[in-house]
Amino acid sequence: MALSPEPDPGPPAVIELIDVKKTYRSGTLEVEALHRVSMRIDENEFVAITGPSGSGKSTLMHILGCLDVPTEGTYLLSGHDVSAFDEEQLADVRNLFIGFVFQQFNLLAYMSAWRNVELPLIYHGVHPAERRERAFAALEKVDLGDRAHHKPGELSGGQQQRVALARALVTEPAMILADEPTGNLDSASTADILDLFHELNEEGRTIVLITHERDIAARAQRVIQVEDGNLVPAGVELLATGVRP
Amino acid sequence: MNWRDTFRTATDAVRSHRLRSVLTMLGILIGISAVVLTVGLGQGAKAKVQDQINELGTNVLVVSPGSTTSSTGSRGGFGSASTLTMQDAAAIATKRAAPDVTAVAPVSTTSVSLLYSSTNWTTTLTGTTPAWKTVRSRGLTEGRFINAADEQRAAAVVVLGPDTVTQLFGQVDPIGRNVVYNGVQLQVIGVLAPLSSNEATSNNDLAIVPIATYQQKLIGGSTRNAVSSIYVKATSAGTLSGAYQETDALLLNRHQITTATSADFNIATQQSILSAATSVDNTLTVMLAGIAIIALLVGGIGVMNIMLVSVTERIREIGLRKALGARPRLIRRQFLVEASILGLAGGILGVALGVLGAVLLPQFSDSRVIISVPASIGAIVMAVGIGVIFGVYPASRAARLAPIDALRSE
Ligand SMILES: Nc1ncnc2c1ncn2[C@@H]1O[C@H](COP(=O)(O)OP(=O)(O)OP(=O)(O)O)[C@@H](O)[C@H]1O
Ligand SMILES: [Mg+2]
């Protein structure tokens, strides 16, 4: 993707949010989950997002993953205004560029683990034999090679979470967005997964993950703190090097 | 994502949601088999009538006694009178009076029981003249037909229909043997060739005797001269209406009737019999089709219901697939293929069940079922259409939602 024409002093920004607002509307009730959030994440960064429950972390992540659209403001992905993309372009961005791990896993209950992992490759146009091979390799990476033929209902919460992670990795995306990817794991597997994220980061991928755990946040290059729909000043300070005045 | 992947995704979904798929197919199946069977029944009934009319022979008019008007002015029904006589038949047969008529056969019939050794069989005893064979375009497999000499001396001879022979004689050659009616010995002189009908027809089960024998030796009674009906054969299809008018005029004249509306006889052409029968049949077909359409509608509503529920249930799946990078077009295509598989499978099974019914039904009743290919295809198309509309429409609406909204739906 071409870079934005704006003057850009640092390394290229993969993600740039400018005054992004998100309001949920259910009937007459309005909930403003994000208030004018601006931030940027550079290529090959490893960023942790933390904050209390209900502060708007998942909301932010969904917008970053092109799964939801901001109510107001601009989201530039590699310099491109996402709101200008049509449905097909958005689908391709999600498929080719982003690996997303959902807080609720979102696995298809009627498919075995490896078939779930294979899904994004189908939309990628990968040949069936290669799909199977890559799905099994991804499951192997999250230490679930022996559970490939189990359906989600036959797996523990931690195992389902790792299947969801494998599904995000299988396309080898440039950016991995993970919403509490270790929320259901013990400390041993958490350490393994964290190592995996670092490995992926060293390969050149941009990693953004939401976590509640201090030691995970500590291993990230940068921590973005969300509170009540706002980024706390530490995050804003880091953004000071960015384009926005 | 190519069509093969789409197909596999769809078949996986169909197989994984077994109960839902079976219920959907069942709805379609019942509707389709009802359509196939009822349309088939209607067409079968029509074909049966057509066959029976063709069995009359070609270019044939049937003259039957009409209603009588009593002195009190009340009219009896058609056929209530015995106004036709042997002399009427003879008059129509004269070349001068009716040049368009080639042959005339007066016929008297009664249901009788015939006996051969110890076997009894009830059949239609038909007294007629040698011209009957020509008029009705029938052939013989064995022996000879009754002739003028038999007629002259009221010979005790009989020509049997092929089914009658089978019933009375089994494997025995009937020629030269005697059957007994009411104590009178009748010698079998010939066997009629069978009409290639799909069912047992009265035209293959009858006993023909010279009409003189019928009237003088077998049935008798006060109206010896009267006949049940007169078959008139025109020289060709083109002269049929001429033959009709000649016969009509001749009989009106002979019966001294001045107004055509008070005629004491009735002339039917094969065409008029056919259209009368067909109009009854059409009513039947429309009624059957109505039942079938209701069945299809009920099945369709079932399919619609299941499809709507299933798509609502699967909006989360649609959201997930979108989140993983499925273009809306691919999602629509997946649901299209899914609905088509269900519709097609249900439709084909429905037609198969209909065909099975068409084979079995005639075994238990004397109805004929003709499977109509256009109706079957139409029914399948309709089934697939129902599935597609009610499966694809909500799915494609869901495919327009933002992935996260679809994922969050209940
Ligand atoms: N679909 C929605 N409709 C209305 N309000 C919503 C919706 N989704 C989220 N919210 C509200 O937006 C706020 C932010 O929610 P969000 O899921 O982003 O929190 P979070 O930081 O991810 O919390 P957690 O750590 O518990 O996952 C919450 O107050 C939540 O109630
Ligand atoms: Mg959350």
Side-chain angles (χ1 to χ4, degrees), chain B residues 65-279:
Chain B
S67 53
T68 47
T69 309
S70 72
S71 51
T72 57
S74 69
R75 268 168 88 90
F78 278 118
S80 59
S82 42
T83 49
L84 295 176
T85 61
M86 290 296 291
Q87 286 71 32
D88 286 335
I92 301 166
T94 53
K95 257 274 104 38
R96 212 151 37 92
D100 290 329
V101 171
T102 171
V104 177
V107 166
S108 278
T109 56
T110 320
S111 182
V112 300
S113 186
L114 295 183
L115 181 72
Y116 169 71
S117 78
S118 61
T119 316
N120 246 313
W121 181 247
T122 304
T123 185
T124 314
L125 184 68
T126 308
T128 188
T129 58
W132 186 91
K133 186 168 161 285
T134 318
V135 175
R136 299 293 300 272
S137 315
R138 297 293 295 261
L140 292 172
T141 45
E142 254 188 295
R144 62 171 183 85
F145 199 66
I146 54 170
N147 58 25
D150 298 328
E151 189 64 46
Q152 216 113 62
R153 54 191 171 85
V157 292
V158 64
V159 175
L160 297 178
D163 290 355
T164 323
V165 169
T166 313
Q167 292 297 339
L168 279 174
F169 292 90
Q171 298 302 314
V172 179
D173 182 8
I175 301 296
R177 294 177 196 275
N178 286 343
V179 292
V180 183
Y181 164 65
N182 215 5
V184 182
Q185 302 263 348
L186 295 165
Q187 191 186 28
V188 180
I189 53 167
V191 177
L192 288 170
L195 283 171
S196 58
S197 181
N198 289 329
E199 302 91 7
T201 158
S202 59
N203 288 317
N204 280 338
D205 180 11
L206 74 175
I208 294 168
V209 294
I211 196 155
T213 317
Y214 182 96
Q215 289 168 341
Q216 293 161 30
K217 293 188 175 164
L218 302 177
I219 307 299
S222 56
T223 54
R224 280 191 167 200
N225 228 5
V227 295
S228 316
S229 49
I230 301 171
Y231 289 91
V232 178
K233 189 181 178 72
T235 48
S236 72
T239 57
L240 194 60
S241 64
Y244 183 100
Q245 275 154 22
E246 288 156 17
T247 307
D248 195 37
L250 198 68
L251 288 178
L252 284 174
N253 186 32
R254 282 183 56 82
H255 295 190
Q256 289 159 11
I257 294 160
T258 45
T259 47
T261 44
S262 54
D264 58 356
F265 59 91
N266 177 42
I267 308 177
T269 61
Q270 278 163 298
Q271 197 49 52
S272 71
I273 299 169
L274 184 63
S275 55
T278 324
S279 79

Side-chain angles (χ1 to χ4, degrees), chain B residues 370-402:
Chain B
I370 293 177
I371 296 298
S372 151
V373 174
S376 305
I377 292 173
I380 290 178
V381 167
M382 202 160 148
V384 173
I386 291 169
V388 165
I389 290 167
F390 294 104
V392 175
Y393 172 67
S396 84
R397 261 186 36 173
R400 280 202 292 271
L401 289 175

Side-chain angles (χ1 to χ4, degrees), chain B residues 238-321:
Chain B
T239 57
L240 194 60
S241 64
Y244 183 100
Q245 275 154 22
E246 288 156 17
T247 307
D248 195 37
L250 198 68
L251 288 178
L252 284 174
N253 186 32
R254 282 183 56 82
H255 295 190
Q256 289 159 11
I257 294 160
T258 45
T259 47
T261 44
S262 54
D264 58 356
F265 59 91
N266 177 42
I267 308 177
T269 61
Q270 278 163 298
Q271 197 49 52
S272 71
I273 299 169
L274 184 63
S275 55
T278 324
S279 79
V280 173
D281 267 5
N282 281 343
T283 321
L284 188 74
T285 307
V286 166
M287 232 172 68
L288 287 174
I291 293 168
I293 284 168
I294 289 169
L296 200 62
L297 213 66
V298 170
I301 290 169
V303 171
M304 177 177 105
N305 195 19
I306 293 164
M307 274 290 181
L308 280 175
V309 169
S310 126
V311 171
T312 315
E313 242 171 36
R314 290 171 71 197
I315 288 180
R316 285 171 55 82
E317 173 178 344
I318 292 171
L320 176 70
R321 288 181 183 274

